[in-house]
Amino acid sequence: MISLPPAFTERMTRLLGNESKAFFEALNNPSPSTIRLNPLKMGLQLPFPELIDKQIPWCSDAYYLKERPVYTLDPLLHGGAYYVQEASSMFLQTVLQQIAGSQPIRALDLCAAPGGKSTLLATCLPENSLLISNEVIKSRATILKENIIKWGCDHVIVTSSDPGRFTKLKGAFDLVLVDAPCSGEGMFRKDEKAISEWSENNLRLCEERQKRIISDIWDTLTPGGHLVYSTCTYNPGENEGILNWILDTFDASPVEIRHNYPTIVPTRPPLHGYHFYPHQTDGEGLFMCVIQKNDGTPFSLKKDKRTSQSPTVKLPADILPLLPDLTRYTPYLAGETLGIIPKQHADFIQYLSTQVGVLYKGCEIGENIKGKTKPAHALALYHRLRHQHTTRQEVDLPTALQFLRKEDFRFDAPQGEWILITYKGVGLGWVKEVGNRLNNYYPKEWRIKNL
Ligand code: SAM
């Protein structure tokens, strides 16, 4: 039995009435294990078909598992072929289907680490969209960057800045997701720390912080743009309380999300908010709502906002066969590292980098060393890497794990060539044969340690 704060128990009993018994029972049941596939890498392949229980109804490519595998020991996880994400959070896909439209948009995921909702956005935004994935806490932003690189896209920019730093980007985003830092009541059965840190005073601090965050970024929405606000708490002050405060404070309208999932509990009209309770829906506690901004002016990159153009960068010839059609991309050089960003967003990305701290952009390609390209690790994970133009070595499970532990291993390989290591066809990283050994270029800070 988990031990809950009495004030929390009292409130939930009052709130849920005769459903509360089922709610408290559910808090003592194990959380379901759930994954969301990366369709760009997996196609129709399932990572562990024998463990698949059923599909998650509100998100395509997402599954409940019969039991929790040791994810760390699955090379496909390290190759970004799927993401281990809590089921309720994936409702974001249903929300996006309604609000994102079909034209390219600019989206900001403001509180993004470790990257569950950002990887979902990266997959589900309309084609040619741009995603800014931001996390203020530096150590968490590092993990976010790793997860974004593994997901293997070229239209995501990872930033690490306080929400207040986005103020000059007025009207820049069609969609802003605030998956707010909250009291975490919905995570009680997964995370004991959420219980030990709970206090009524902390609920108030969370509410104040949520208001501050939303005030900071509200004007970054374009007129007609959508704010998706979510928490993993049941505390009405952080949910309906914040939704009411937004509608009272700004020129904004609530948006109703149409769906067919009767276990999702709606808030009382005229508010439109959606609750996930573990006794009703197979997942953790979650609240999500959408608000549309009515006023403002759209962002435009006027001359004064444009920073001096960076010199044109030419990618070395030896790497070109591995890359997609470059007419849609702008190459860049950051320090020694070459990379590409989507051409249609290049001016905006350049302006963005004058405002906020950019940690990663587009897809890193590699470094030019004495006229030859040393491929970036990100390139091995890039879903548009043209595998057929690489020298490839498909490996079995024990070898893949040796590679991911950054251990030495051997196979017959052509001298001096960069070799892409793949597992079940998914790129994991690079090795190079140098004389009498194979150099393992798996990033040291990402290697599997707990085997
Ligand atoms: N969206 C993430 C996902 O799906 O993986 C989870 C985000 S978590 C609920 C909230 C995030 O907000 C945390 O990563 C936390 O570090 C960040 N955060 C904490 N304080 C913040 C603040 N003052 N402004 C913005 N973000 C903050």
Side-chain angles (χ1 to χ4, degrees):
M1 288 283 280
I2 58 173
S3 164
L4 299 166
F8 168 78
T9 309
E10 272 164 41
R11 189 228 301 148
M12 293 311 291
T13 308
R14 224 176 27 248
L15 206 71
L16 295 174
N18 53 16
E19 278 185 33
S20 57
K21 188 166 173 277
F23 170 76
F24 291 117
E25 272 169 19
L27 290 194
N28 282 295
N29 291 337
S31 304
S33 279
T34 47
I35 57 167
R36 182 171 42 77
L37 303 187
N38 185 343
L40 299 170
K41 294 199 179 191
M42 288 302 277
L44 296 173
Q45 205 185 159
L46 286 169
F48 6 69
E50 68 291 353
L51 289 186
I52 300 291
D53 182 9
K54 56 184 179 189
Q55 275 205 292
I56 296 178
W58 45 85
C59 184
S60 48
D61 304 311
Y63 297 90
Y64 289 104
L65 304 183
K66 290 179 191 150
E67 61 187 68
R68 188 184 171 87
V70 184
Y71 290 115
T72 314
L73 298 185
D74 183 12
L76 290 177
L77 178 75
H78 303 274
Y82 61 92
Y83 193 94
V84 181
Q85 186 175 30
E86 185 285 301
S88 311
S89 311
M90 300 186 205
F91 183 58
L92 179 60
Q93 193 193 81
T94 298
V95 170
L96 291 175
Q97 274 161 1
Q98 185 178 320
I99 65 168
S102 56
Q103 296 306 308
I105 65 170
R106 274 196 298 255
L108 167 64
D109 182 1
L110 188 72
C111 315
K117 295 196 182 63
S118 266
T119 52
L120 190 153
L121 283 161
T123 303
C124 298
L125 289 179
E127 217 181 322
N128 299 323
S129 294
L130 180 71
L131 172 63
I132 312 306
S133 183
N134 179 70
E135 167 58 45
V136 63
I137 296 176
K138 291 283 178 296
S139 55
R140 291 178 60 82
T142 306
I143 297 163
L144 173 66
K145 175 178 158 183
E146 176 178 336
N147 285 330
I148 293 295
I149 291 176
K150 286 180 175 168
W151 206 245
C153 300
D154 52 33
H155 63 304
V156 184
I157 313 297
V158 181
T159 62
S160 181
S161 285
D162 185 85
R165 293 273 304 281
F166 286 83
T167 45
K168 282 209 185 149
L169 292 151
K170 282 195 179 44
F173 298 106
D174 306 279
L175 186 127
V176 174
L177 168 64
V178 174
D179 188 27
C182 70
S183 54
E185 295 172 354
M187 290 291 149
F188 276 1
R189 69 174 173 180
K190 260 188 134 174
D191 181 6
E192 279 180 22
K193 208 164 137 241
I195 303 182
S196 64
E197 286 176 357
W198 189 95
S199 73
E200 296 201 74
N201 190 41
N202 192 36
L203 300 186
R204 270 183 294 280
L205 292 177
C206 286
E207 292 164 27
E208 282 162 22
R209 182 167 54 183
Q210 287 148 359
K211 288 180 187 168
R212 254 194 335 267
I213 291 174
I214 292 167
S215 302
D216 279 342
I217 53 80
W218 179 255
D219 281 337
T220 67
L221 276 170
T222 199
H226 292 96
L227 171 73
V228 180
Y229 174 76
S230 57
T231 72
C232 57
T233 191
Y234 309 109
N235 171 26
E238 297 173 72
N239 297 334
E240 286 86 347
I242 296 293
L243 177 50
N244 265 320
W245 172 82
I246 296 173
L247 298 172
D248 289 345
T249 310
F250 305 109
D251 186 358
S253 312
V255 176
E256 183 175 2
I257 300 301
R258 294 178 296 275
H259 68 82
N260 298 318
Y261 313 112
T263 60
I264 300 173
V265 180
T267 52
R268 287 213 192 101
L271 291 184
H272 295 297
Y274 303 88
H275 285 279
F276 287 69
Y277 292 108
H279 64 294
Q280 301 258 30
T281 314
D282 215 359
E284 304 313 299
L286 178 97
F287 173 80
M288 195 171 278
C289 63
V290 180
I291 306 108
Q292 191 162 27
K293 185 176 199 285
N294 297 326
D295 60 352
T297 352
F299 179 84
S300 94
L301 267 176
K302 293 202 202 84
K303 272 213 178 79
D304 56 328
K305 274 190 191 154
R306 259 181 224 170
T307 47
S308 56
Q309 284 298 311
S310 22
T312 310
V313 172
K314 218 168 163 269
L315 293 176
D318 62 343
I319 205 78
L320 295 179
L322 274 56
L323 302 180
D325 174 11
L326 283 180
T327 51
R328 292 173 51 230
Y329 296 92
T330 300
Y332 68 80
L333 181 65
E336 302 292 304
T337 305
L338 291 156
I340 51 172
I341 48 174
K343 190 175 259 169
Q344 76 182 96
H345 297 293
D347 287 342
F348 178 80
I349 294 168
Q350 186 160 356
Y351 180 68
L352 179 82
S353 61
T354 65
Q355 300 299 309
V356 295
V358 172
L359 299 185
Y360 186 79
K361 53 183 180 181
C363 181
E364 286 183 358
I365 300 299
E367 278 174 51
N368 191 336
I369 298 172
K370 294 186 194 145
K372 288 205 168 154
T373 308
K374 175 186 175 197
H377 184 64
L379 185 62
L381 295 155
Y382 185 26
H383 83 93
R384 291 192 217 273
L385 172 69
R386 297 168 80 190
H387 279 210
Q388 69 276 28
H389 292 276
T390 60
T391 307
R392 261 175 305 170
Q393 180 69 42
E394 171 72 17
V395 296
D396 58 10
L397 179 63
T399 314
L401 290 174
Q402 278 183 305
F403 174 67
L404 295 168
R405 291 170 74 181
K406 207 171 166 53
E407 289 178 351
D408 291 335
F409 62 99
R410 296 248 36 187
F411 55 82
D412 283 337
Q415 184 71 23
E417 261 187 60
W418 289 98
I419 298 157
L420 178 71
I421 299 294
T422 64
Y423 175 74
K424 296 190 177 171
V426 173
L428 297 181
W430 304 101
V431 297
K432 189 177 177 186
E433 172 71 48
V434 281
N436 51 0
R437 67 197 163 85
L438 207 54
N439 271 354
N440 181 340
Y441 284 87
Y442 197 71
K444 197 161 81 208
E445 58 288 4
W446 291 11
R447 73 187 191 281
I448 304 181
K449 296 176 203 101
N450 61 341
L451 282 189

Coordinates of all heavy atoms in Angstrom, one line a residue, residues 83 85 109-118 135-137 140 162-163 179-181 209 213 232, ligand 1:
Y83 N 10.2 5.0 -28.1 CA 10.4 5.8 -26.9 C 9.5 5.2 -25.8 O 8.3 4.8 -26.1 CB 9.9 7.3 -27.2 CG 10.4 8.3 -26.1 CD1 11.6 9.0 -26.2 CD2 9.6 8.4 -24.9 CE1 12.0 9.8 -25.2 CE2 10.0 9.3 -23.9 CZ 11.2 10.0 -24.1 OH 11.6 10.9 -23.1
Q85 N 7.2 5.8 -23.2 CA 6.4 6.9 -22.7 C 5.1 6.5 -22.1 O 4.4 5.5 -22.5 CB 6.0 7.8 -24.0 CG 5.3 9.1 -23.6 CD 5.1 10.0 -24.8 OE1 4.9 9.5 -25.9 NE2 5.0 11.3 -24.5
D109 N 8.0 23.6 -27.7 CA 7.7 22.7 -26.6 C 8.6 23.3 -25.5 O 9.8 23.1 -25.5 CB 8.1 21.3 -26.9 CG 7.8 20.3 -25.8 OD1 7.3 20.8 -24.7 OD2 8.1 19.1 -25.9
L110 N 8.0 24.0 -24.6 CA 8.7 24.9 -23.6 C 9.4 24.1 -22.5 O 10.5 24.5 -22.0 CB 7.8 26.0 -23.1 CG 8.4 27.1 -22.3 CD1 9.2 28.0 -23.2 CD2 7.4 27.8 -21.5
C111 N 8.7 23.1 -22.0 CA 9.2 22.4 -20.8 C 9.4 20.9 -21.3 O 8.6 20.1 -21.0 CB 8.2 22.4 -19.7 SG 7.5 24.0 -19.4
A112 N 10.5 20.7 -22.0 CA 10.5 19.5 -22.9 C 11.2 18.3 -22.4 O 11.0 17.2 -22.9 CB 11.1 19.9 -24.3
A113 N 12.1 18.4 -21.4 CA 12.9 17.2 -21.0 C 12.1 16.2 -20.2 O 11.2 16.7 -19.5 CB 14.1 17.7 -20.1
P114 N 12.3 14.9 -20.4 CA 13.3 14.3 -21.2 C 13.0 14.2 -22.7 O 13.9 13.7 -23.4 CB 13.5 12.9 -20.5 CG 12.1 12.7 -19.9 CD 11.6 14.0 -19.5
G115 N 11.8 14.5 -23.1 CA 11.6 14.5 -24.5 C 10.4 13.7 -25.0 O 10.3 13.5 -26.2
G116 N 9.6 13.1 -24.1 CA 8.5 12.3 -24.5 C 7.6 13.0 -25.5 O 7.3 12.6 -26.6
K117 N 7.1 14.2 -25.1 CA 6.1 14.9 -25.9 C 6.8 15.5 -27.1 O 6.3 15.7 -28.2 CB 5.4 15.9 -25.1 CG 4.5 15.2 -24.0 CD 3.5 16.1 -23.4 CE 2.7 15.4 -22.4 NZ 3.5 15.0 -21.2
S118 N 8.1 15.9 -27.0 CA 8.8 16.5 -28.1 C 9.0 15.4 -29.2 O 8.9 15.7 -30.4 CB 10.2 17.0 -27.7 OG 10.2 18.4 -27.4
E135 N 14.4 23.2 -22.8 CA 14.4 22.8 -21.4 C 15.3 23.7 -20.6 O 16.5 23.8 -20.9 CB 14.9 21.3 -21.2 CG 15.2 20.9 -19.9 CD 14.0 21.0 -18.8 OE1 12.9 20.6 -19.2 OE2 14.3 21.5 -17.7
V136 N 14.8 24.3 -19.5 CA 15.6 25.3 -18.8 C 16.7 24.7 -18.0 O 17.8 25.3 -17.9 CB 14.6 26.3 -18.0 CG1 13.9 25.5 -16.9 CG2 15.4 27.4 -17.4
I137 N 16.5 23.6 -17.4 CA 17.5 23.0 -16.5 C 18.5 22.3 -17.4 O 18.2 21.3 -18.1 CB 16.8 22.0 -15.5 CG1 15.9 22.9 -14.6 CG2 17.9 21.3 -14.6 CD1 15.1 22.1 -13.6
R140 N 19.0 18.5 -17.5 CA 17.9 17.8 -18.2 C 17.9 18.1 -19.7 O 17.5 17.3 -20.5 CB 16.6 18.3 -17.5 CG 16.4 17.7 -16.1 CD 15.2 18.2 -15.5 NE 13.9 17.8 -16.1 CZ 13.3 16.6 -16.0 NH1 13.9 15.7 -15.2 NH2 12.2 16.3 -16.7
D162 N 15.4 30.1 -20.1 CA 14.3 30.4 -19.2 C 13.1 30.9 -20.1 O 13.4 31.5 -21.1 CB 14.7 31.5 -18.2 CG 13.6 31.8 -17.2 OD1 13.6 31.1 -16.2 OD2 12.8 32.7 -17.5
P163 N 11.9 30.6 -19.8 CA 10.8 31.0 -20.6 C 10.8 32.5 -20.9 O 10.5 33.0 -22.0 CB 9.5 30.6 -19.8 CG 9.9 29.5 -19.0 CD 11.4 29.7 -18.7
D179 N 4.0 21.7 -20.9 CA 3.8 20.5 -20.1 C 4.5 20.9 -18.8 O 5.7 20.6 -18.5 CB 4.5 19.3 -20.8 CG 4.2 18.0 -20.1 OD1 3.1 17.9 -19.5 OD2 5.1 17.1 -20.2
A180 N 3.7 21.5 -17.9 CA 4.2 22.3 -16.8 C 4.9 21.5 -15.7 O 4.4 20.4 -15.4 CB 3.1 23.2 -16.3
P181 N 5.9 22.1 -15.1 CA 6.4 21.5 -13.9 C 5.2 21.6 -12.9 O 4.6 22.7 -12.8 CB 7.6 22.4 -13.5 CG 7.4 23.6 -14.2 CD 6.7 23.3 -15.5
R209 N 4.2 29.4 -10.3 CA 5.2 29.2 -11.3 C 4.5 28.9 -12.7 O 4.9 29.4 -13.7 CB 6.1 28.0 -10.9 CG 7.2 27.7 -11.9 CD 8.2 26.7 -11.4 NE 7.6 25.5 -10.9 CZ 8.2 24.5 -10.4 NH1 9.5 24.6 -10.2 NH2 7.6 23.4 -10.0
I213 N 5.2 31.1 -16.0 CA 5.6 30.5 -17.3 C 4.7 30.9 -18.4 O 5.1 31.3 -19.5 CB 5.7 29.0 -17.1 CG1 6.8 28.6 -16.2 CG2 5.9 28.3 -18.5 CD1 6.9 27.1 -15.9
C232 N 0.7 16.7 -14.8 CA 0.5 15.3 -14.4 C 0.0 15.4 -12.9 O 0.6 14.7 -12.1 CB 1.7 14.4 -14.6 SG 3.2 15.0 -13.8
Ligands
SAM1 N1 7.4 17.4 -21.5 C1 8.3 16.5 -20.9 C2 8.2 15.1 -21.5 O1 7.1 14.8 -22.1 O2 9.1 14.3 -21.5 C3 8.1 16.4 -19.4 C4 8.2 17.8 -18.8 S1 8.2 17.9 -17.0 C5 6.5 17.6 -16.7 C6 8.4 19.6 -16.7 C7 9.7 20.2 -17.1 O3 9.7 21.6 -16.8 C8 10.9 19.6 -16.4 O4 11.8 19.1 -17.3 C9 11.5 20.8 -15.6 O5 12.9 20.7 -15.6 C10 11.0 22.0 -16.4 N2 10.9 23.2 -15.6 C11 11.1 23.3 -14.3 N3 11.0 24.6 -13.9 C12 10.7 25.3 -15.0 C13 10.5 26.7 -15.2 N4 10.5 27.6 -14.3 N5 10.2 27.0 -16.5 C14 10.1 26.1 -17.5 N6 10.4 24.8 -17.3 C15 10.6 24.4 -16.1

